[in-house]
Each structure stands twice: as C-alpha cells, then as structure tokens.
Amino acid sequence: PRSPRTRRRHQVKTMPVTDVKTAAEFDALLASSPGGVVAHYWATWCEPCGAMDQLVRQLSSQWTGVAFARVEAEEVDELTERYDVSAVPFFTFHKGAGAPLDKLEGADGKALASKTQQHFGVAAASAPSNGAAPVAGTHASDAGAGDLDARLRELTTRTPVVLFMKG
C-alpha cells in the first residue's frame, strides 16, 4: 500500500467554487480570471439548485483554468438585474468584463456541461465520454449516475404516473 504522502501527490487539485456576496466581488473575480467564469445563481428554497451545486463543484474540478462562482440571487440584486436573472437555477458564462458569452436557465446538467465545454474548451480532468458531466440527484443511490439520459429514463419509467412541474 502507498503511504499517505504518495496518495496525496496523485490526487487532482480541485479549484474551489467562490461564494460571491457583492457585485464588486464578482467584478473582481471576472478581472482576475482570464480563463473565464461560470456563475451559478441560486436560492436557498430552490431544491434543483442543490443538485446543480454538486454539478458545479464537479465541473470546477474538471475545468481547472475556469473560475466557478455561486451567487445567491435574492441577496445580490445588482447582479441579478445586470444579467436579467428571472429564475433559479440560472447560469452565466463570462470571458472578461462586459456582456456574458451565454446564459442558461434551469436545472439542465447536460446543457451546463456542454456550454462550459463550448465556451472554455476541453476539460483538464477526465470527463465522461459523452461530453456531459454526471448529474447528482438528491438520493444517495444517484451518486453513480453518469448518463443523464439513462437517469431520466429510469425516473420516468419507475412508476406509472410521473408529474413534471416547472416554476
């Protein structure tokens, strides 16, 4: 067995997700992140935001040159108005100051991974072969779900009645 020192050397260094509290903090993050910024606008009461938080943390370890930020939408009004955030979860993709490159509304993990790759290139760490990052759900058994389509298929065929609700 390897010693703890040897094991530490082989681990991938994860870039932390920055919790942004003010517009000035966000502007400073944009200025100090030449590789780009993905901002996740969230709310404490929004259950899908929790699942997307897990995905954002995972993506931050794959795209080491890109900064990932969390913005509590109801607390940082200046940013939600600046980027027309009308619902959560909501994502903006930035390369420098000015208008964002792109926006994404909703808890669409596959689209989030796709847009991150589209705007910031190939991930530094190994990503799933289909280009989409795994979406973690709210159950412990969901932790290994790597294919979004298979997960959705399983959810929609588990019971005879499925309720889809947006809003």
Side-chain angles (χ1 to χ4, degrees), residues 110-167:
K110 196 170 190 175
L112 176 60
S114 175
K115 284 180 181 282
T116 303
Q117 183 166 7
Q118 173 189 344
H119 296 299
F120 305 115
V122 178
S126 60
S129 60
N130 65 0
V135 176
T138 55
H139 299 93
S141 63
D142 296 342
D147 183 5
L148 180 60
D149 293 330
R151 176 77 179 123
L152 289 173
R153 194 174 312 105
E154 187 254 323
L155 285 172
T156 56
T157 57
R158 183 184 299 168
T159 60
V161 177
V162 178
L163 171 66
F164 289 97
M165 194 161 89
K166 182 178 179 181

Side-chain angles (χ1 to χ4, degrees), residues 14 31 37 41 45 50 55-56 59-60 69 75 78 81 91 97 110 118 123 144:
T14 302
V37 175
Y41 296 83
W45 50 263
L55 179 57
V56 166
L59 291 175
S60 74
E75 298 297 320
E78 187 177 340
E81 289 175 18
F91 299 88
K110 196 170 190 175
Q118 173 189 344

Side-chain angles (χ1 to χ4, degrees), residues 5-167:
R5 171 181 266 161
T6 307
R7 271 185 261 152
R8 252 184 261 124
R9 252 188 288 149
H10 295 288
Q11 293 175 349
V12 175
K13 185 174 182 176
T14 302
M15 205 168 162
V17 177
T18 304
D19 280 312
V20 173
K21 305 287 185 202
T22 67
E25 282 182 24
F26 186 73
D27 293 338
L29 183 64
L30 288 176
S32 66
S33 304
V37 175
V38 176
H40 173 209
Y41 296 83
W42 63 281
T44 55
W45 50 263
C46 176
E47 199 171 310
C49 290
M52 296 308 287
D53 266 346
Q54 292 176 357
L55 179 57
V56 166
R57 287 187 207 316
Q58 183 178 19
L59 291 175
S60 74
S61 69
Q62 293 175 356
W63 274 273
T64 55
V66 177
F68 286 80
R70 293 175 73 238
V71 181
E72 191 167 356
E74 295 171 334
E75 298 297 320
V76 191
D77 292 335
E78 187 177 340
L79 291 178
T80 56
E81 289 175 18
R82 182 190 300 176
Y83 299 118
D84 297 321
V85 177
S86 57
V88 289
F90 191 90
F91 299 88
T92 55
F93 303 82
H94 304 266
K95 199 102 182 218
L101 299 169
D102 206 348
K103 297 177 182 181
L104 174 65
E105 183 178 315
D108 186 343
K110 196 170 190 175
L112 176 60
S114 175
K115 284 180 181 282
T116 303
Q117 183 166 7
Q118 173 189 344
H119 296 299
F120 305 115
V122 178
S126 60
S129 60
N130 65 0
V135 176
T138 55
H139 299 93
S141 63
D142 296 342
D147 183 5
L148 180 60
D149 293 330
R151 176 77 179 123
L152 289 173
R153 194 174 312 105
E154 187 254 323
L155 285 172
T156 56
T157 57
R158 183 184 299 168
T159 60
V161 177
V162 178
L163 171 66
F164 289 97
M165 194 161 89
K166 182 178 179 181

